[in-house]
Amino acid sequence: RIRRVIAVCHTPQQIQDELETIVKFGGIIEDVIIEHKLYGEIRGILMIKTIFDVENFVKKVNELGDEPLSVLTSGVHLHTISVESEYELKNILRELENKKYLISN
């Protein structure tokens, strides 16, 4: 698989859309990473592979009432994503850019 770390920014309300965009094109969201001023890099393992995984993740966030890591950095965070092909990666990056989530790849 091809792995890439991408930088994105969005609101907590856009989490589901961001994650669905990635898995829709065949991507796996391996983790979420933020750079914290005091603690340095904080990483949460996600391994989200399907729309079902996205729905369960969002449901869990809502049920727990916890805020995502990205609220600590005003929505800015990184994801390691993996795909089978450059074609899938290109589609994911294009769609995230069109939605104004992508900061850099």
Side-chain angles (χ1 to χ4, degrees), residues 3-6 10 14-15 17 26 37 40-41 44-45 57-58 69 76 84 91 94-95:
R3 296 175 78 223
R4 177 79 55 90
V5 176
I6 60 169
H10 57 76
Q14 295 169 315
I15 289 173
D17 184 56
K37 292 177 191 174
E41 184 179 279
I45 304 302
F57 178 78
V58 171
L69 284 177
V76 175
E84 291 287 332
N91 285 329
R94 184 190 69 239
E95 190 71 15

Side-chain angles (χ1 to χ4, degrees), residues 82-99:
S82 61
V83 293
E84 291 287 332
S85 70
E86 286 289 336
Y87 178 75
E88 291 172 336
L89 181 60
K90 184 178 175 182
N91 285 329
I92 290 168
L93 296 177
R94 184 190 69 239
E95 190 71 15
L96 291 173
E97 187 170 29
N98 287 343
K99 293 181 177 194

Side-chain angles (χ1 to χ4, degrees), residues 7-82:
V8 292
C9 182
H10 57 76
T11 67
Q13 295 76 23
Q14 295 169 315
I15 289 173
Q16 185 164 355
D17 184 56
E18 176 216 18
L19 299 176
E20 286 178 353
T21 299
I22 295 168
V23 300
K24 174 174 77 173
F25 290 106
I28 295 173
I29 303 108
E30 296 182 8
D31 58 21
V32 59
I33 307 161
I34 64 162
E35 188 64 36
H36 192 272
K37 292 177 191 174
L38 178 61
Y39 300 111
E41 184 179 279
I42 299 174
R43 178 185 307 250
I45 304 302
L46 298 177
M47 295 310 292
I48 295 174
K49 302 175 184 179
T50 65
I51 296 294
F52 181 72
D53 292 343
V54 172
E55 291 170 352
N56 281 334
F57 178 78
V58 171
K59 181 178 176 185
K60 192 175 188 180
V61 168
N62 292 333
E63 285 176 355
L64 294 175
D66 284 342
E67 294 181 323
L69 284 177
S70 60
V71 300
L72 298 173
T73 54
S74 301
V76 175
H77 57 287
L78 306 173
H79 286 299
T80 305
I81 60 172
S82 61

